[in-house]
Every structure is written in structure tokens, then in C-alpha cells.
């Protein structure tokens, strides 16, 4: 075959290939047309929804509404209704950025075997929303709502539905407060600390919490009390052991007879009428009954065994597991741990006179103050007081 004939043959093959490629592209374009869109393809008012379920990672969670939201498998489960609202929020106005029309092969978008299937019901209609693959090129999720199309969406619902049952619980909370007026401890400690506006007991203006013992008022260190309250406020109540505790479970966790119950009276501002209100928060904490029994049987206290401890808010049916360090911090609630840890805690610069008895000898130190400078004297002789000041401040 001559060279010119070979060229004509190659050109013919190339032309046929181009025609086939063009035909396939036109066929694909006809079969699945992709176009930009800012269309809202689904609108669901949250209050109209009567049921919500989803299947993700071989787990199915289903909820229905009967005045309040209930968990299908156990209606005693305390559902976080704000979480339900959060899950439904994307579908109030479900907008898309790309539409793929007349889809025949859902598998290429991960919608044949979707990662997550969401079912939503209202009184009038049921909806099924499939979440497929994530397009790394577009950085968007493929979605189907059962209308024959596939969509790419910027607001990916998957981020909200990658959750477990524990994420749907209405956990108890330590309240936000403006001030604490009273702390009462019962169990391993038994006393009450009250906050008083007038301090008639100690010379420190910072002392505001007082304990009454045998008719005598004793001051607590405000900084220690506030540190304890902060630990209480930061307690992590999310790792629930049971959301509908039985008497047996309470006993097993040591909460039928808690090691310590803390009752906090507090004030807060009511946002509606802007008036200060008062309320009470109760927290019980304990190690599990087995660990408590082992200690009662005189097991060595310096054991390296990890603490297993639990907490309960008031009469809540939820039992929470808490960290060992949190247990130790909250159990450190004795008067000796919350009182002033120094014999003398005043401001050294406010002292005017010190009288010292040493080996039957009396010494009197006095001060003269000029501005912020304080000069110390013993029998009119000026003293170098730094070493003594350091010793006094260490008390």
C-alpha cells in the first residue's frame, strides 16, 4: 500500500472515531444533562414534620412526634428537641447548586447504595432523601430526593447526621447563674455555707461565705469556694450510663446512697421580665458500690485502681459517668479544704502594729505610712523588714 493510501485510511479511521465520540457525547448529554442551578428543591416547615428517621453506618435511628418528640424504640429516652430542629433545618429551604436531570445510573453518584438515607414524614406526604458520594472536584455532596434527578448541594446534610443515639439525648445541665447564695453538703461532708453581704467575723473584705459551727461563724476562702463552683460548672455531663435508671442501677452506681450531695442555691436574671430569680441545683456523686465496699473492707487507699464514679442531677433518671479527676475535685468539699489555708491572709501593707511575745520578752513593731511606702520601727529605730515580711506572708 502506498504511503498516500495509508494516510487516507488513517484519516478515515480518525473521522469515524470522532463521529463515534461526538455521538456518545451527544447521547450522554441527552441522557443526563448537568446544569447550574440555585433552585430550592425541597421546602419543609419543621413544625409540620411528624416523623424523622435515618440510616447511617449500619445504624438506624427513628423518632416520631406526639406533642413532644419520642424515640421509636424507647419512649422513655429523653429526646433533645433542639437537636431534632437542627437536623431538620437544612430542609426548610433545601437549595442546590447543580441539577443532573433524567438520571439512569445513580450508582456513579453513590446514590444506588447511599451513605445515608433520611426519611421525613408530614401529615400529607413522606419524603426520602439519599446522600451519596462527595464530589472532591466540586466539594459538594450528591443528593437524591426521589424526583428522577440527582443534585449537588453545598450545605451537606451528612455533617449533621453522622451521629449516634447518645448525641440525641437531652442531657441535664449545670445552670448558668449570676450568684450563689448557699452551698450545702451532705454525705461525706455535712455543713452549710451561706453568702452574706456583711462581714462581721474577719478583717478581710473578700470573705463572703461563712459556716456556722457551735454558734460561731467561720469564714471560707472566697477564692477556694469560687474555684469549687467553677469545677462544678465545668463538669462534663454527657457520658450517660443509663437514661432511665432503675433502682438496681442506682444502687450499682452508689447513687442510692451518694457519697456526697451538693445543693446549690443560686440567682439568675429572667430574660422575659428582667427580674432576678432564685433556684436550686442538686448534684449527687459517688463511686460505684463495688469500689466503696472495697474501701470499707480496708483496701489500701493508695491503690492504683482507676476510679469509677457517677453523677446524678436532682431526681433525673439519667446517670452520668464522670472522670476520676472530676470526682476527686468535687469530693474535696470539707471545711478544711475550702477555708483559708494560711494563718494570716491579710494585706501586709495594711498592718499598723505587731506585738510579739518571745521567751518572756515583749516586742512591739509599728509602722508609719507615707503614700504607698510603709516604714517599720522598733522603739523608734527604723527596721529592715523584708525578711520578716516574707516570713509573715508565708503563714
Amino acid at each position: 500500500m502506498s504511503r498516500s493510501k495509508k494516510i487516507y485510511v488513517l484519516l478515515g479511521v480518525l473521522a469515524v472515531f470522532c463521529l463515534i465520540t461526538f455521538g456518545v457525547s451527544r447521547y450522554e448529554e441527552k441522557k443526563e444533562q448537568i446544569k447550574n442551578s440555585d433552585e430550592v428543591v425541597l421546602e419543609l416547615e419543621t413544625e409540620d414534620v411528624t416523623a424523622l428517621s435515618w440510616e447511617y453506618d449500619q445504624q438506624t435511628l427513628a423518632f416520631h412526634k406526639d406533642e413532644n418528640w419520642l424515640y421509636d424504640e424507647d419512649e422513655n429516652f429523653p429526646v433533645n428537641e433542639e437537636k431534632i430542629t437542627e437536623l431538620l433545618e437544612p430542609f426548610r429551604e433545601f437549595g442546590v447548586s447543580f441539577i443532573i436531570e433524567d438520571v439512569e445510573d445513580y450508582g456513579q453518584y453513590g446514590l444506588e447504595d447511599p451513605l445515608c438515607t433520611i426519611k421525613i414524614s408530614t401529615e400529607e406526604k413522606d419524603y426520602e432523601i439519599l446522600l451519596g458520594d462527595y464530589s472532591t472536584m466540586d466539594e459538594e455532596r450528591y443528593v437524591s430526593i426521589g424526583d428522577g434527578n440527582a443534585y449537588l448541594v453545598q450545605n451537606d446534610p451528612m455533617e449533621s447526621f453522622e451521629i449516634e443515639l447518645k448525641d440525641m439525648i437531652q442531657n441535664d445541665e449545670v445552670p448558668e447563674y449570676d450568684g450563689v447564695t448557699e452551698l450545702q453538703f451532705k454525705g461525706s461532708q455535712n455543713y452549710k455555707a451561706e453568702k452574706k453581704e456583711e462581714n462581721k467575723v474577719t478583717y478581710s473584705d473578700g470573705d463572703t461565705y461563712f459556716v456556722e459551727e457551735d454558734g460561731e461563724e467561720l469564714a471560707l476562702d472566697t477564692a477556694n469556694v469560687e474555684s469549687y463552683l467553677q469545677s462544678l460548672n465545668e463538669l462534663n455531663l454527657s457520658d450517660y450510663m443509663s437514661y432511665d435508671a432503675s433502682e438496681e442501677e442506682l444502687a450499682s452506681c452508689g447513687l442510692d446512697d451518694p457519697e456526697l450531695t451538693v445543693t446549690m442555691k443560686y440567682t439568675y436574671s429572667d430574660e422575659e421580665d428582667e427580674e432576678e430569680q432564685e433556684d436550686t441545683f442538686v448534684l449527687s456523686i459517688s463511686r460505684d458500690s463495688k469500689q466503696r465496699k472495697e474501701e470499707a473492707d480496708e483496701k489500701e487507699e493508695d491503690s492504683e485502681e482507676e476510679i469509677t464514679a457517677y453523677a446524678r442531677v436532682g431526681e433525673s433518671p439519667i446517670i452520668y459517668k464522670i472522670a476520676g479527676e472530676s470526682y476527686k475535685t468535687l469530693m474535696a468539699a470539707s471545711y478544711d479544704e475550702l477555708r483559708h489555708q494560711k494563718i494570716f491572709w491579710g494585706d501586709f501593707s495594711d498592718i499598723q502594729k505587731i506585738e510579739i511575745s518571745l521567751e518572756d520578752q515583749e516586742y512591739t513593731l509599728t509602722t508609719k505610712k507615707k503614700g504607698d511606702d510603709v516604714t517599720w520601727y522598733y522603739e523608734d529605730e527604723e527596721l529592715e523588714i523584708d525578711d520578716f515580711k516574707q516570713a509573715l506572708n508565708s503563714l
Side-chain angles (χ1 to χ4, degrees):
M1 184 182 292
S2 66
R3 183 177 179 184
S4 60
K5 286 184 178 180
K6 289 181 179 179
I7 291 174
Y8 287 131
V9 170
L10 291 173
L11 288 173
V13 170
L14 179 60
V16 171
F17 178 76
C18 290
L19 287 171
I20 292 172
T21 302
F22 178 75
V24 169
S25 66
R26 293 295 294 175
Y27 173 75
E28 292 292 338
E29 182 181 345
K30 181 179 180 181
K31 185 175 70 172
E32 295 183 357
Q33 298 180 6
I34 303 175
K35 60 183 181 181
N36 293 333
S37 174
D38 57 0
E39 184 179 345
V40 173
V41 296
L42 188 62
E43 293 183 273
L44 288 172
E45 290 297 332
T46 303
E47 56 268 24
D48 295 336
V49 177
T50 58
L52 169 67
S53 66
W54 66 94
E55 183 179 347
Y56 169 74
D57 197 23
Q58 299 182 334
Q59 171 188 249
T60 299
L61 296 176
F63 301 85
H64 65 278
K65 190 175 184 180
D66 182 13
E67 292 187 7
N68 298 316
W69 280 95
L70 301 170
Y71 177 43
D72 285 10
E73 292 190 16
D74 186 354
E75 294 189 352
N76 290 320
F77 181 86
V79 178
N80 185 339
E81 301 208 2
E82 290 185 3
K83 188 66 177 178
I84 294 283
T85 301
E86 178 186 322
L87 292 173
L88 292 173
E89 178 62 27
F91 307 112
R92 290 182 68 248
E93 291 186 6
F94 193 49
V96 301
S97 53
F98 287 91
I99 297 178
I100 306 168
E101 297 180 336
D102 303 321
V103 178
E104 294 186 7
D105 181 13
Y106 283 95
Q108 63 182 314
Y109 307 117
L111 293 168
E112 193 71 44
D113 183 19
L115 296 174
C116 181
T117 300
I118 303 166
K119 296 181 179 180
I120 302 174
S121 297
T122 66
E123 293 288 350
E124 292 78 22
K125 189 174 180 180
D126 297 326
Y127 301 86
E128 184 176 72
I129 301 158
L130 309 180
L131 307 185
D133 292 339
Y134 185 79
S135 171
T136 54
M137 181 178 69
D138 300 295
E139 296 186 342
E140 296 182 5
R141 178 78 58 189
Y142 287 107
V143 174
S144 167
I145 61 171
D147 61 356
N149 300 326
Y151 301 95
L152 277 170
V153 296
Q154 289 182 339
N155 297 325
D156 186 1
M158 183 71 79
E159 297 176 2
S160 300
F161 285 88
E162 293 176 316
I163 56 178
E164 303 175 53
L165 179 61
K166 67 178 183 179
D167 299 305
M168 296 300 298
I169 192 170
Q170 179 63 59
N171 285 313
D172 299 297
E173 296 181 352
V174 180
E176 296 289 335
Y177 51 81
D178 298 327
V180 174
T181 58
E182 182 180 296
L183 270 175
Q184 186 167 1
F185 302 98
K186 182 180 179 182
S188 61
Q189 305 298 325
N190 287 283
Y191 70 95
K192 180 172 65 176
E194 294 183 83
K195 187 173 185 179
K196 298 187 176 182
E197 298 298 330
E198 294 186 9
N199 176 4
K200 299 179 181 179
V201 179
T202 67
Y203 52 78
S204 174
D205 293 336
D207 290 340
T208 55
Y209 292 95
F210 299 90
V211 177
E212 187 170 326
E213 186 174 311
D214 298 328
E216 180 183 3
E217 281 192 345
L218 304 173
L220 297 179
D221 187 333
T222 301
N224 289 344
V225 174
E226 290 179 348
S227 177
Y228 186 89
L229 291 172
Q230 183 176 357
S231 299
L232 187 67
N233 206 40
E234 294 175 351
L235 182 63
N236 182 13
L237 296 177
S238 61
D239 186 9
Y240 74 85
M241 180 265 188
S242 173
Y243 58 78
D244 189 20
S246 64
E247 293 297 325
E248 291 77 14
E249 287 173 322
L250 287 170
S252 175
C253 296
L255 289 170
D256 59 332
D257 180 24
E259 286 185 80
L260 182 66
T261 298
V262 184
T263 302
M264 178 180 74
K265 289 186 178 180
Y266 64 95
T267 59
Y268 66 95
S269 298
D270 191 299
E271 294 182 357
E272 292 185 2
D273 54 23
E274 298 182 353
E275 290 186 5
E276 190 172 71
Q277 305 289 333
E278 187 174 61
D279 208 340
T280 301
F281 172 77
V282 180
L283 181 77
S284 299
I285 58 175
S286 183
R287 288 165 298 168
D288 70 20
S289 57
K290 182 180 178 181
Q291 284 193 343
R292 291 175 67 180
K293 185 177 184 302
E294 287 172 345
E295 183 177 291
D297 291 341
E298 298 182 349
K299 183 177 179 179
E300 295 180 9
E301 292 189 12
D302 59 352
S303 170
E304 294 297 322
E305 183 179 5
E306 183 179 351
I307 293 174
T308 303
Y310 302 95
R312 183 189 188 195
V313 175
E315 297 298 315
S316 170
I318 307 176
I319 297 176
Y320 300 95
K321 187 174 182 180
I322 60 174
E325 286 303 314
S326 295
Y327 165 83
K328 290 178 181 179
T329 300
L330 293 175
M331 289 297 293
S334 68
Y335 167 75
D336 281 342
E337 286 163 312
L338 296 182
R339 67 170 173 81
H340 288 282
Q341 301 303 306
K342 296 180 179 181
I343 297 174
F344 176 79
W345 65 90
D347 189 339
F348 193 83
S349 63
D350 292 336
I351 299 174
Q352 297 177 338
K353 182 170 70 173
I354 298 177
E355 295 180 347
I356 303 172
S357 295
L358 181 63
E359 297 180 352
D360 298 328
Q361 183 71 33
E362 302 293 329
Y363 302 91
T364 300
L365 309 181
T366 58
T367 64
K368 290 182 180 179
K369 192 171 184 179
K370 187 175 182 180
D372 293 333
D373 297 326
V374 178
T375 305
W376 284 81
Y377 294 89
Y378 172 64
E379 294 183 353
D380 296 328
E381 181 179 347
E382 187 174 335
L383 300 175
E384 290 292 336
I385 200 67
D386 287 346
D387 291 341
F388 178 74
K389 175 181 177 181
Q390 184 177 353
L392 192 62
N393 278 337
S394 68
L395 291 177

